[in-house]
């Protein structure tokens, strides 16, 4: 069996840039996995993916010309069905063998083996390995069928009759095993060794690939194309840094991975050029200018050493003319109207105050069951005022009320109408222009935070209150009308809102009780919703549990802490640390198991069991010893708990192991004497209460 390196390229019209990286990776990996499944690759085979605006390609090392034959053992049927009483083949067995290409002569070679409760017949055969042409055809078909195509196109082949469906019309197919063309076909194309290079700058056309290993170098030399997505991206990064350094002054291009990926998907040989616009546009908030340059033109704005926008920007061109002045001037001419629009929107918006826009929110529908944005604003105001009083008294509540009232007003501005991504940000600018002060303006700007994982939290107390109120309004409202996330569908981003609430409560160390917070938000809705605070609480604790596990805590430790539904989420990290320290103690497994046993006993007890003990009813030495130890340990554990040292509180419980073990070894809890039984249950209830103040330690039991 001989091996060679394999190259497959599908040359197409310009692919959707936002999907290119995913398409390239999927095409290459599916092709590789299918070849591997057919035994055409080896353990040492290496895959390299290529993707450019007009091509998807894969290079695989050590691909065999023919897969090895494979021994297969196939279950046929139970022995009782396949053989009669005399041991002869039944018609059913003969029919099955015929379907496999065998006849009655194969019956003698069938194997018997247990299969569940019965014995079955198995047929051993050798399956001939696939040839490369067969295997690659199957792999190519599978790879194209499983591509994550965002939107399929239908187009006609050259015959004018045949319709083909694909992401974009395909024009060339290359399949080389070493220097040999592999005879495969797809999308009306037959494989060859020729492709096309850069649309304008290729040295020759078509570009002939002499060997699978020469693909990238030949395309670069003859086709003026950098085929590797990663290599092209790195080249853009290098050129951006070099161009910024040439501008000087500590300038740097804006850091945006999504923009970088999209631009990489738009060019086949990048050429970074420096352009500029009039400085008068810098009077417009830089977020507006940056967004219009990135979103509309795919430009890289340049920031100075302090992070302020300059009037220069970088363009990644797909052509490299000797004189680039025409390209530079063309891009400058194109961006100018966009910046002028932004300036116009900004100037027009400032002619009206945010307060004057508030009545207009009553005309904007928020949800058919929850009313308008105006009604939503009133609910957020009510919730924010309540939280503000709790956290900072009347002064904080008044500022939070003002910020909450104006937080959504920028939705009615021209700038946010054009760029929805700027909501909140523009509200902050307009609030400062209206003279509302930096504290309220910053709160308006920050009230959507955190908007995504890792985003910063609101910067001041007013912002925290309004952001908390805004997210609670969404969560309580949506749960109250039964509009819950399902699977991967979460149109109102309830998971993200829940994580935002958690982060603010924890990272800002807010002294708020979760259940009270959720119940306190419900009255703002009147009779529009039903009470779903319990389900919403579970939802939030589930999000918290997932986050703690991602941070390295074990499922048992997280379960132990959250089983008690701690109301002050800022305490959870300390509780978790205490549980981790307790779990490391040698006494922990036995105490956790005992705690679980105690909990089960108390659940089965009839009536209410109070955590109190009558010393006069203690008869057995073991129960007296346990009671005496509890009298010593519980005050120590409680004192440490009240002092905030939860780790010490749990570690004090280690002294209970020996008396607890002795109690269960020699004391009958369910004594015949009702008084003794009740007293022993009271002793266990006292033990249970002492052991589960920080966490439910029974959840640590294996």
């Amino acid at each position: 069996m001989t091996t060679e390196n394999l190259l497959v390229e599908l040359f197409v019209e310009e692919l959707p840039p936002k999907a290119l990286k995913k398409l390239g990776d999927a095409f290459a990996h599916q092709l590789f996995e299918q070849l591997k499944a057919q035994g055409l690759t080896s353990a040492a085979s290496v895959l390299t993916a290529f993707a450019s605006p007009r091509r998807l390609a894969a290079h695989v090392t050590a691909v065999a010309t023919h897969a090895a034959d494979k021994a297969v053992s196939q279950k046929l049927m139970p022995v009782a069905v396949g053989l009669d009483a005399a041991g002869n083949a039944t018609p059913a067995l003969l029919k099955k063998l015929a379907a496999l290409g065998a006849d009655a002569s194969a019956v003698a070679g069938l194997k018997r083996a247990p299969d569940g409760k019965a014995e079955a017949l198995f047929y051993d055969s050798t399956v001939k390995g696939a040839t490369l042409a067969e295997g690659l055809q199957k792999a190519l078909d599978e790879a194209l069928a499983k591509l994550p195509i965002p939107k399929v196109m239908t187009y006609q082949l050259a015959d004018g009759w045949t319709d083909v469906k694909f992401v974009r019309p395909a024009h060339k197919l290359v399949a080389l095993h070493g220097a040999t063309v592999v005879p495969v076909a797809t999308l009306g194309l037959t494989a060859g060794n020729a492709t096309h290079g850069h649309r304008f700058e290729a040295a020759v056309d078509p570009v002939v690939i002499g060997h699978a290993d020469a693909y990238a170098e030949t395309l670069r030399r003859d086709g003026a194309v950098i085929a590797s997505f990663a290599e092209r991206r790195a080249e853009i990064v290098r050129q951006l840094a070099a161009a910024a350094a040439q501008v000087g002054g500590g300038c740097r291009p804006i850091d945006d991975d999504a923009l970088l990926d999209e631009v990489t998907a738009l060019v086949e040989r990048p050429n970074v050029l420096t352009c500029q616009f009039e400085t008068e546009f810098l009077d417009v908030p830089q977020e507006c200018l940056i967004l219009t340059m990135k979103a509309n033109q795919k430009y890289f704005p340049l920031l100075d050493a302090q992070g302020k926008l300059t009037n220069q920007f970088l363009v990644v061109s797909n052509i490299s003319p000797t004189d680039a002045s025409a390209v530079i001037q063309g891009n400058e001419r194109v961006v100018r109207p966009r910046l002028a629009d932004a300036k116009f929107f900004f100037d027009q918006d400032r002619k009206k105050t945010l307060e004057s826009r508030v009545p207009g929110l009553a005309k904007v529908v928020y949800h058919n069951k929850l009313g308008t944005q105006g009604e939503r604003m009133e609910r957020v105001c009510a919730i924010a005022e309540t939280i503000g009083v709790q956290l900072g008294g009347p002064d904080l509540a008044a500022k939070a009320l003002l910020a909450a009232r104006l937080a959504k007003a920028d939705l009615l501005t021209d700038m946010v109408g054009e760029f929805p991504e700027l909501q909140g940000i523009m509200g902050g600018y307009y609030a400062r222009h209206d003279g509302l002060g930096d504290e309220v303006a910053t709160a308006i700007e920050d009230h959507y935070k955190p908007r995504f994982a890792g985003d910063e939290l609101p910067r001041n107390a007013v912002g925290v209150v309004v952001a908390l109120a805004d997210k609670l309004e969404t969560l309580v409202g949506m749960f109250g009308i039964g509009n819950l996330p399902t699977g991967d569908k979460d149109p109102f981003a309830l998971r993200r809102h829940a994580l935002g609430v958690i982060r603010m409560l924890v990272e800002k160390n807010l002294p708020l009780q979760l259940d009270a917070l959720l119940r306190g938000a419900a009255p703002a809705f009147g009779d529009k919703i039903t009470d779903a605070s319990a389900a919403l609480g579970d939802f939030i604790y589930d999000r918290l549990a997932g986050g703690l596990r991602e941070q390295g805590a074990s499922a048992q430790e997280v379960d132990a802490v959250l089983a008690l539904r701690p109301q002050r989420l800022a305490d959870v990290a300390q509780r978790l640390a205490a549980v981790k320290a307790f779990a490391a103690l040698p006494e922990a497994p036995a105490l956790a198991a005992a705690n679980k046993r105690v909990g089960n006993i108390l659940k089965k007890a009839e009536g209410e069991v109070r955590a109190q003990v009558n010393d006069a009813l203690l008869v057995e030495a073991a129960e007296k010893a346990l009671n005496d130890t509890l009298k010593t340990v519980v005050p120590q554990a409680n004192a440490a708990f009240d002092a905030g040292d939860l780790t010490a509180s749990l570690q004090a419980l280690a002294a209970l192991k020996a008396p607890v073990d002795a109690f269960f070894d020699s004391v009958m809890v369910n004594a015949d004497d009702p008084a003794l039984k009740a007293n022993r249950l009271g002793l266990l209830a006292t033990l249970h209460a002492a052991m589960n103040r920080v966490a439910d330690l029974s959840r640590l039991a294996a």
Side-chain angles (χ1 to χ4, degrees):
M1 187 190 305
T2 59
T3 65
E4 279 277 11
N5 295 344
L6 176 71
L7 182 281
V8 179
E9 184 210 67
L10 186 64
F11 179 85
V12 298
E13 294 181 15
E14 276 74 6
L15 291 159
K18 290 186 178 178
L20 177 64
K21 190 173 187 297
K22 185 183 288 187
L23 288 171
D25 289 343
F27 175 77
H29 283 90
Q30 280 294 334
L31 199 72
F32 182 75
E33 290 302 320
Q34 290 298 323
L35 291 171
K36 180 180 176 183
Q38 295 176 80
L40 288 165
T41 61
S42 72
S45 293
V46 176
L47 169 68
T48 304
F50 298 95
S52 85
R54 299 202 295 162
R55 70 200 74 240
L56 302 173
H59 181 273
V60 185
T61 63
V63 177
T65 55
H66 195 288
D69 295 345
K70 191 175 181 181
V72 176
S73 182
Q74 187 169 352
K75 176 187 167 185
L76 300 179
M77 57 188 65
V79 172
V81 176
L83 301 176
D84 60 20
N88 298 317
T90 63
L93 177 58
L94 294 175
K95 184 177 180 181
K96 182 70 173 178
L97 288 171
L100 297 174
D103 55 24
S105 63
V107 174
L110 296 181
K111 290 183 178 178
R112 298 187 180 197
D115 182 51
K117 295 181 179 179
E119 192 176 32
L121 294 171
F122 290 83
Y123 175 58
D124 292 343
S125 61
T126 301
V127 177
K128 194 169 182 61
T131 65
L132 176 58
E134 295 168 343
L136 181 56
Q137 185 65 64
K138 181 179 178 182
L140 187 58
D141 292 342
E142 286 287 322
L144 296 184
K146 293 181 178 179
L147 273 185
I149 298 174
K151 191 173 183 180
V152 175
M153 283 184 66
T154 301
Y155 62 96
Q156 285 185 330
L157 298 182
D159 62 14
W161 293 97
T162 310
D163 281 349
V164 175
K165 295 180 184 294
F166 195 53
V167 59
R168 292 291 185 269
H171 297 297
K172 286 282 187 183
L173 176 64
V174 176
L176 288 173
H177 191 230
T180 305
V181 173
V182 184
V184 293
T186 191
L187 302 175
L189 304 170
T190 301
N193 65 348
T195 185
H196 295 296
H198 193 286
R199 195 179 279 278
F200 308 112
E201 300 187 349
V204 296
D205 187 60
V207 176
V208 177
I209 311 297
H211 192 281
D213 294 345
Y215 174 70
E217 181 55 36
T218 303
L219 263 182
R220 183 191 292 270
R221 183 188 67 240
D222 297 342
V225 170
I226 300 175
S228 166
F229 188 96
E231 190 178 340
R232 208 163 56 254
R233 190 181 194 272
E235 174 61 15
I236 292 174
V237 171
R238 186 193 67 76
Q239 290 191 35
L240 288 172
Q246 194 168 6
V247 171
C251 283
R252 58 180 174 83
I254 195 159
D255 186 16
D256 190 320
D257 283 340
L259 176 63
L260 189 55
D261 283 344
E262 189 173 359
V263 170
T264 304
L266 286 168
V267 297
E268 292 203 303
R269 187 174 69 168
N271 179 32
V272 173
L273 303 171
T274 305
C275 308
Q276 64 181 14
F277 56 82
E278 290 79 0
T279 56
E280 66 188 69
F281 291 121
L282 293 176
D283 293 336
V284 179
Q286 70 177 41
E287 293 90 345
C288 309
L289 303 182
I290 289 171
L291 187 58
T292 192
M293 284 192 280
K294 288 197 312 181
N296 294 321
Q297 307 303 138
K298 314 306 175 190
Y299 297 158
F300 287 84
L302 275 177
L303 308 179
D304 65 18
Q306 287 71 46
K308 296 295 183 182
L309 182 67
T310 70
N311 71 319
Q312 293 180 290
F313 59 94
L314 303 179
V315 174
V316 183
S317 174
N318 195 35
I319 56 175
S320 304
T322 305
D323 181 5
S325 59
V327 180
I328 292 172
Q329 290 167 14
N331 281 285
E332 291 175 346
R333 187 168 59 251
V334 166
V335 79
R336 196 169 292 117
R338 295 287 189 179
L339 302 182
D341 285 347
K343 186 176 187 307
F344 175 78
F345 293 148
F346 186 55
D347 292 340
Q348 289 298 111
D349 286 344
R350 288 183 296 171
K351 292 178 180 178
K352 293 178 66 176
T353 64
L354 287 177
E355 180 62 42
S356 69
R357 297 180 187 275
V358 170
L361 293 173
K363 300 175 184 177
V364 180
V365 175
Y366 167 58
H367 191 281
N368 62 346
K369 292 183 179 180
L370 296 174
T372 66
Q373 283 285 3
E375 291 174 281
R376 180 167 190 258
M377 175 271 294
E378 291 173 357
R379 294 193 292 266
V380 174
C381 284
I383 298 168
E385 188 174 23
T386 300
I387 297 173
V389 169
Q390 291 176 268
L391 292 180
D395 182 57
L396 179 58
K399 290 176 181 175
L401 182 60
L402 176 60
R405 175 174 172 77
L406 302 178
K408 303 298 180 186
D410 69 352
L411 296 176
L412 303 178
T413 62
D414 292 339
M415 188 71 83
V416 173
E418 180 71 12
F419 300 113
E421 302 92 332
L422 294 176
Q423 54 191 281
I425 293 171
M426 295 315 301
Y429 278 106
Y430 298 143
R432 289 183 181 88
H433 180 264
D434 293 347
L436 297 177
D438 192 62
E439 196 171 12
V440 169
T442 300
I444 292 173
E445 182 181 340
D446 287 357
H447 84 278
Y448 288 105
K449 294 178 180 178
R451 294 158 296 186
F452 50 84
D455 190 20
E456 64 180 11
L457 297 181
R459 289 165 286 178
N460 62 31
V462 181
V464 169
V465 171
V466 179
L468 202 52
D470 186 67
K471 289 170 175 55
L472 286 170
E473 192 279 339
T474 301
L475 289 165
V476 172
M478 291 301 162
F479 268 76
I481 60 173
N483 197 352
L484 311 183
T486 56
D488 60 350
K489 294 182 179 179
D490 188 6
F492 288 90
L494 302 187
R495 294 184 180 95
R496 176 166 56 80
H497 285 311
L499 290 172
V501 169
I502 291 167
R503 281 193 60 198
M504 283 186 280
L505 291 175
V506 172
E507 294 177 34
K508 294 292 183 178
N509 196 24
L510 301 182
L512 297 172
Q513 305 288 309
L514 182 61
D515 285 351
L517 201 58
L518 301 181
R519 288 195 303 269
F525 291 85
D527 58 0
K528 287 183 180 290
I529 64 170
T530 57
D531 181 18
S533 57
L536 177 53
D538 291 341
F539 181 76
I540 291 174
Y541 281 116
D542 284 345
R543 305 280 80 70
L544 176 58
L548 294 172
R549 289 194 294 269
E550 287 177 4
Q551 293 168 22
S554 73
Q556 284 181 314
E557 292 163 351
V558 172
D559 193 24
V561 171
L562 298 189
L564 299 185
R565 292 178 73 95
Q567 290 300 295
R568 194 170 180 272
L569 299 192
D571 294 341
V572 168
Q574 189 182 3
R575 288 174 182 258
L576 190 58
V579 168
K580 284 184 177 182
F582 174 79
L585 296 175
E587 297 89 353
L591 285 174
N595 192 36
K596 186 174 183 179
R597 185 175 179 181
V598 169
N600 290 335
I601 292 172
L602 294 176
K603 284 177 187 176
K604 294 176 182 177
E606 296 178 2
E608 181 184 357
V609 178
R610 294 185 178 181
Q612 57 187 32
V613 179
N614 182 347
D615 291 1
L617 293 176
L618 296 173
V619 178
E620 302 285 347
E623 60 183 331
K624 291 178 181 178
L626 176 58
N627 187 51
D628 290 342
T629 306
L630 280 171
K631 287 180 179 179
T632 302
V633 167
V634 171
Q636 293 174 354
N638 287 345
F641 184 94
D642 294 339
D645 191 347
L646 304 188
T647 300
S649 179
L650 281 184
Q651 289 181 332
L653 302 177
L656 290 169
K657 180 185 180 300
V660 167
D661 288 346
F663 177 88
F664 281 118
D665 285 344
S666 57
V667 177
M668 176 67 72
V669 176
N670 293 320
D672 293 333
D673 185 337
L676 287 180
K677 176 181 177 180
N679 199 53
R680 288 169 182 171
L681 288 173
L683 179 61
L684 291 183
T686 303
L687 172 65
H688 195 260
M691 293 182 71
N692 293 285
R693 198 170 179 195
V694 174
D696 182 354
L697 299 182
S698 68
R699 305 297 177 105
L700 297 177

